Amino acid sequence: MNEKYKELFSTYTLPNGVELKNRIVIAPMTHYSSNPDGTVSEDELNYYARRSHGVSMVITACTNVIANGKGFPGQFAANRDEMIPGLSRVASAIKDQGAKAVLQIYHGGRMSPPELVPNGDIYSASAVPAERPGMQTPKALTEDQIEEIIEAFGETTRRAIEAGFDGVEIHGANGYLLQQFFSPHSNRREDRYGGSLEKRMTFPLAIIDKVKSVVAEHAKSPFIVGYRFSPEEPETPGITMADTLAFVDVLADKGLDYLHVSLGEFHSTPRVGVEDLSKSRIEYLLETINHRVPLIGVGSIKTAEDARKALETGVAFVALGREIIVDPDWVQKVEEGRENEIATVLYPDQQEELVVPTGLWKRIMSVKGWFPVQER
Ligand SMILES: Cc1cc2nc3c(=O)[nH]c(=O)nc-3n(C[C@H](O)[C@H](O)[C@H](O)COP(=O)(O)O)c2cc1C
């Protein structure tokens, strides 16, 4: 291994005592390839097994905790006990390769396509549609329904424990239900779940408390609980960097094992809400967190040099998303001093070679500019 990449391969012990073997993790990525009933398909298992052998931790695609939280066709579900055997196979596919397996748990809220949820009813904090063409106006959740969803996050955590996962990541990012409660765009409530910045934190914090209580009750060994968030929203009103720093200040004292910021570009800078718009979001977050909890950073990391520079900022882990699809042997190549051999483009004939499920491959090929696709 090239000496300058040594730090990427240093171990890290999470607050709960679980040791991760290096600083590279796989970012959660939906693969659109589960069976229509929400059970896991062979293609997904093969996909995980193919790319879990070098990284220290794999965060799975998001899985819905309740039927009305389904957000993607071909999404795997974790909302019923009969899903546990399939979930167990996902956990094993990852753990057999020597990585920790973390299940990302979520509810799509107003982003759920009506055709995927019971009666076509989509829900959010308030009856405000997302600012995208063709989005349906969601129904505002009642307090009873909110309680039911909080309970469902707890039940899904129990299933993750029973299925043999090493942890769960609570998906509070990318515009889904938890973020919809924190956002002043989608949360116009006047009850205890909305009305002020602090009250908009109530729902995500209640989910964290529920998940942690289930872990305390059911886990027989240390179980990882992480939380993912998006730092800003483009809408007005929308989450600002200042809102996020206030939230992160609270999250950092919640006894979580990590925080995970969702970014398209690792070194991106804030839009609004803070004084110095030239300082990166990661720098702001690390300053606020002040070593209270490890932070995972992500966003357009392709080369070993990209990862080294990212780790140098002070994050505990660097997550690879698209790049680990493009090159499943990324970690081995760096470990063996072959970082020059890392592939950074995809060719349309590589689906089988890269072990990518068909649903995901079709998306990759059809969404222009998303992945670095080249013709031979
Ligand atoms: C195919 C695909 C599916 C994704 N699905 C999820 C998901 O299920 N949950 C999530 O939090 N983020 C999801 N993301 C976002 C990634 O986790 C990551 O934050 C983003 O791709 C930026 O990292 P990258 O530049 O390394 O790809 C997805 C991204 C891609 C490319």
Side-chain angles (χ1 to χ4, degrees):
M1 181 197 317
N2 190 322
E3 191 62 19
K4 64 180 173 172
Y5 301 129
K6 227 176 68 190
E7 258 318 291
L8 291 170
F9 293 91
S10 58
T11 59
Y12 190 100
T13 305
L14 295 174
N16 69 355
V18 170
E19 187 183 273
L20 297 190
K21 67 182 178 188
N22 63 42
R23 308 305 188 90
I24 311 292
V25 306
I26 296 188
M29 282 185 289
T30 293
H31 24 61
Y32 313 94
S33 303
S34 304
N35 302 315
D37 65 355
T39 52
V40 174
S41 67
E42 288 302 317
D43 285 353
E44 290 165 303
L45 296 170
N46 296 334
Y47 160 88
Y48 282 117
R50 177 65 186 90
R51 33 189 57 72
S52 299
H53 54 306
V55 294
S56 57
M57 179 165 82
V58 175
I59 304 157
T60 68
C62 56
T63 182
N64 54 300
V65 301
I66 192 167
N68 64 27
K70 184 166 180 172
F72 300 97
Q75 176 163 52
F76 67 112
N79 63 326
R80 321 191 283 286
D81 280 5
E82 67 203 69
M83 296 296 162
I84 295 174
L87 293 172
S88 185
R89 295 179 74 203
V90 175
S92 298
I94 295 168
K95 294 198 311 183
D96 287 353
Q97 301 299 318
K100 301 290 180 201
V102 171
L103 185 70
Q104 193 186 49
I105 58 178
Y106 115 119
H107 188 297
R110 68 179 183 177
M111 302 307 288
S112 292
E115 66 275 14
L116 295 184
V117 294
N119 309 319
D121 287 334
I122 60 165
Y123 292 97
S124 186
S126 302
V128 181
E131 284 186 17
R132 279 194 204 169
M135 295 302 279
Q136 182 170 311
T137 302
K139 293 182 176 172
L141 288 161
T142 63
E143 291 216 18
D144 283 351
Q145 287 172 318
I146 291 174
E147 285 301 325
E148 196 189 347
I149 292 172
I150 295 169
E151 213 39 61
F153 272 88
E155 280 293 277
T156 299
T157 302
R158 174 185 57 76
R159 292 182 196 109
I161 294 167
E162 288 178 18
F165 276 94
D166 297 296
V168 291
E169 178 175 283
I170 302 166
H171 193 353
N174 302 354
Y176 299 117
L177 188 64
L178 276 74
Q179 183 175 326
Q180 289 162 30
F181 268 83
F182 183 55
S183 167
H185 185 276
S186 35
N187 186 344
R188 312 283 169 99
R189 301 178 76 96
E190 294 291 338
D191 60 4
R192 64 198 177 98
Y193 293 104
S196 67
L197 177 65
E198 284 67 32
K199 285 177 159 182
R200 283 189 274 113
M201 298 179 197
T202 307
F203 179 65
L205 294 178
I207 289 174
I208 293 171
D209 289 342
K210 171 56 74 178
V211 166
K212 284 187 66 72
S213 76
V214 168
V215 170
E217 192 184 339
H218 293 276
K220 295 190 176 63
S221 53
F223 189 80
I224 301 165
V225 180
Y227 189 91
R228 192 172 214 213
F229 61 95
S230 292
E232 291 185 87
E233 289 178 334
E235 293 89 0
T236 308
I239 297 169
T240 65
M241 196 64 206
D243 292 348
T244 289
L245 294 178
F247 189 28
V248 162
D249 191 40
V250 174
L251 290 174
D253 287 333
K254 288 299 283 182
L256 293 160
D257 295 300
Y258 68 80
L259 294 178
H260 185 178
V261 59
S262 179
L263 294 169
E265 283 289 335
F266 186 95
H267 301 281
S268 61
T269 51
R271 283 193 186 95
V272 284
V274 281
E275 222 166 76
D276 184 356
L277 296 178
S278 67
K279 198 157 108 179
S280 76
R281 288 160 164 159
I282 290 276
E283 283 176 273
Y284 268 111
L285 292 167
L286 287 169
E287 209 172 85
T288 297
I289 292 169
N290 195 17
H291 305 285
R292 285 178 287 168
V293 61
L295 179 66
I296 302 180
V298 69
S300 303
I301 308 282
K302 292 185 170 190
T303 65
E305 199 49 24
D306 292 342
R308 187 190 66 76
K309 284 196 189 129
L311 195 66
E312 216 174 48
T313 61
V315 294
F317 302 97
V318 175
L320 299 180
R322 288 165 294 182
E323 183 53 34
I324 207 76
I325 292 179
V326 175
D327 194 338
D329 297 319
W330 194 98
V331 178
Q332 285 74 10
K333 287 180 179 172
V334 181
E335 204 164 15
E336 293 164 12
R338 298 189 291 124
E339 59 275 1
N340 294 340
E341 294 173 28
I342 290 174
T344 53
V345 295
L346 272 187
Y347 297 99
D349 60 9
Q350 280 187 303
Q351 183 191 349
E352 211 172 304
E353 174 194 341
L354 296 176
V355 195
V356 179
T358 299
L360 175 55
W361 191 257
K362 281 188 180 155
R363 293 263 167 161
I364 291 174
M365 290 299 142
S366 63
V367 182
K368 286 256 168 307
W370 193 21
F371 276 72
V373 181
Q374 269 185 23
E375 293 299 327
R376 292 242 184 236

